[in-house]
Amino acid sequence: MPQIVILPHAKLCPEGAVIETEAGKSVCDVLLENDIHIEHACEKSCACTTCHVLVREGFDSMNEATETEEDLLDKAWGLEACSRLSCQSIVADADLVIEIPKYTINHASEGGH
């Protein structure tokens, strides 16, 4: 079973976490099922960037991003080459290391930084 290592995030997961999961689930679903309340304003329909994550390890093991996801990621706060929308990132058999960015575009636009 693959593991997802969540790096510490000040609000969502201060201590970090290691989660065992099944292949075939989205990273967003795994986080939510394990009480890591990542934003997902579009209800996981690939219509926003609030579930943006940085895949620090295991990026190439996941499904490829669609053109729609890549277009949305261009609007994400803190975009990096390893950025994905967690609602679209499907866990494969490899372990992952995930970092949740400090802000989302919603948070920044609401003056939360």
Side-chain angles (χ1 to χ4, degrees):
M1 241 183 194
Q3 285 188 335
I4 301 178
V5 175
I6 310 301
L7 299 176
H9 180 279
K11 290 186 178 182
L12 300 178
C13 190
E15 304 298 318
V18 178
I19 302 166
E20 271 198 22
T21 189
E22 302 169 14
K25 288 186 171 188
S26 75
V27 170
C28 187
D29 284 337
V30 172
L31 296 176
L32 294 170
E33 289 168 4
N34 287 276
D35 297 321
I36 300 171
H37 302 287
I38 190 166
E39 285 189 65
H40 53 288
C42 71
E43 295 301 319
K44 304 180 276 185
S45 66
C46 195
C48 73
T49 63
T50 59
C51 72
H52 170 227
V53 295
L54 304 168
V55 184
R56 296 295 184 199
E57 292 180 25
F59 184 88
D60 291 334
S61 70
M62 294 185 303
N63 61 315
E64 286 190 36
T66 64
E67 188 174 326
T68 301
E69 179 184 355
E70 289 178 352
D71 288 346
L72 283 167
L73 282 169
D74 287 339
K75 302 172 187 173
W77 188 91
L79 180 68
E80 294 186 22
C82 61
S83 290
R84 289 294 307 264
L85 298 181
S86 65
C87 71
Q88 302 300 302
S89 304
I90 305 302
V91 178
D93 291 327
D95 293 344
L96 301 173
V97 175
I98 301 292
E99 180 179 354
I100 302 169
K102 185 175 181 180
Y103 302 115
T104 68
I105 198 164
N106 277 2
H107 190 251
S109 68
E110 294 170 3
H113 56 161

